[in-house]
């Protein structure tokens, strides 16, 4: 009886250890953004062009709300951000401009065919394709203004 009980305890312990080893890879930190009521505009730059969110209050409010939703909906990765600026040479800077408080700067880039958004010292995230499309449209609108 003691042998059987000991075998069961050992088996349960072994299974527990194996399940712990199979645990999901640790996820990074969630993105940290300013409070919505503090945000007045969003700007994007690819180094050559700088485009801003719409000027009119109604359009700006709708645009900022949608843009923030896309940022909050990003998938957290296990990758860490350890620099002020990504090591990738080609990146787009996203500036979240605030009224009365410090804003936030994010970086969008493609690495090995995958799009990422990096918040310095906070984390690296995988955005939905809609964010990249929105940024591309903003930068394209810059060309139409000139």
């Amino acid at each position: 009886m003691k042998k059987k009980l000991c075998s069961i305890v050992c088996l349960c312990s072994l299974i527990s250890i194996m399940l712990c080893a199979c645990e999901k890879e640790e996820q990074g930190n969630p993105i940290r953004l300013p409070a919505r009521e503090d945000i007045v505009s969003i700007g994007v730059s690819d180094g050559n062009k700088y485009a801003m969110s719409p000027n009119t209050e109604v359009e700006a409010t709708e645009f900022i709300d949608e843009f923030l939703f896309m940022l909050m909906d990003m998938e957290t990765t296990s990758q860490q951000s350890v620099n002020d600026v990504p090591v990738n040479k080609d990146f787009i800077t996203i500036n979240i401009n605030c009224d009365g408080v410090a804003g936030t700067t994010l970086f969008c880039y493609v690495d090995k065919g995958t799009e990422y958004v990096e918040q310095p010292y906070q984390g690296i995230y995988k955005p939905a394709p809609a964010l990249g499309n929105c940024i591309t449209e903003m930068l394209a609108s810059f060309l139409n203004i000139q």
Side-chain angles (χ1 to χ4, degrees), residues 24-30 74-80 124-125:
K24 193 175 184 181
E25 189 174 317
E26 185 179 321
Q27 292 291 305
N29 296 322
M74 293 188 297
E75 178 185 336
T76 305
T77 70
S78 60
Q79 300 175 43
Q80 295 182 345
I124 299 175
Y125 313 92

Side-chain angles (χ1 to χ4, degrees), residues 17-92:
I17 291 170
M18 288 173 45
L19 289 176
C20 289
C22 295
E23 193 172 316
K24 193 175 184 181
E25 189 174 317
E26 185 179 321
Q27 292 291 305
N29 296 322
I31 193 164
R32 293 176 59 197
L33 299 172
R36 172 59 187 100
E37 60 270 9
D38 295 331
I39 300 172
V40 293
S41 66
I42 295 175
V44 296
S45 174
D46 66 359
N48 298 320
K49 301 179 285 279
Y50 188 82
M52 293 289 292
S53 53
N55 294 3
T56 64
E57 187 174 338
V58 172
E59 288 178 337
T61 298
E62 184 178 318
F63 178 84
I64 292 169
D65 288 345
E66 289 177 17
F67 201 93
L68 288 177
F69 176 78
M70 288 184 272
L71 291 176
M72 294 301 295
D73 195 39
M74 293 188 297
E75 178 185 336
T76 305
T77 70
S78 60
Q79 300 175 43
Q80 295 182 345
S81 174
V82 294
N83 296 312
D84 291 332
V85 179
V87 294
N88 291 44
K89 293 178 183 169
D90 297 324
F91 58 82
I92 294 172

Side-chain angles (χ1 to χ4, degrees), residues 97-118:
N97 306 306
C98 296
D99 188 28
V101 296
T104 298
T105 300
L106 308 170
F107 301 96
C108 184
Y109 57 88
V110 176
D111 185 29
K112 298 177 185 169
T114 303
E115 189 173 34
Y116 294 100
V117 171
E118 182 169 342

Side-chain angles (χ1 to χ4, degrees), residues 42-44 46 49-55 63 133-146:
I42 295 175
V44 296
D46 66 359
K49 301 179 285 279
Y50 188 82
M52 293 289 292
S53 53
N55 294 3
F63 178 84
N133 295 339
C134 182
I135 292 169
T136 300
E137 287 176 18
M138 286 179 73
L139 292 171
S141 70
F142 172 84
L143 296 174
N144 296 333
I145 294 171
Q146 291 186 342

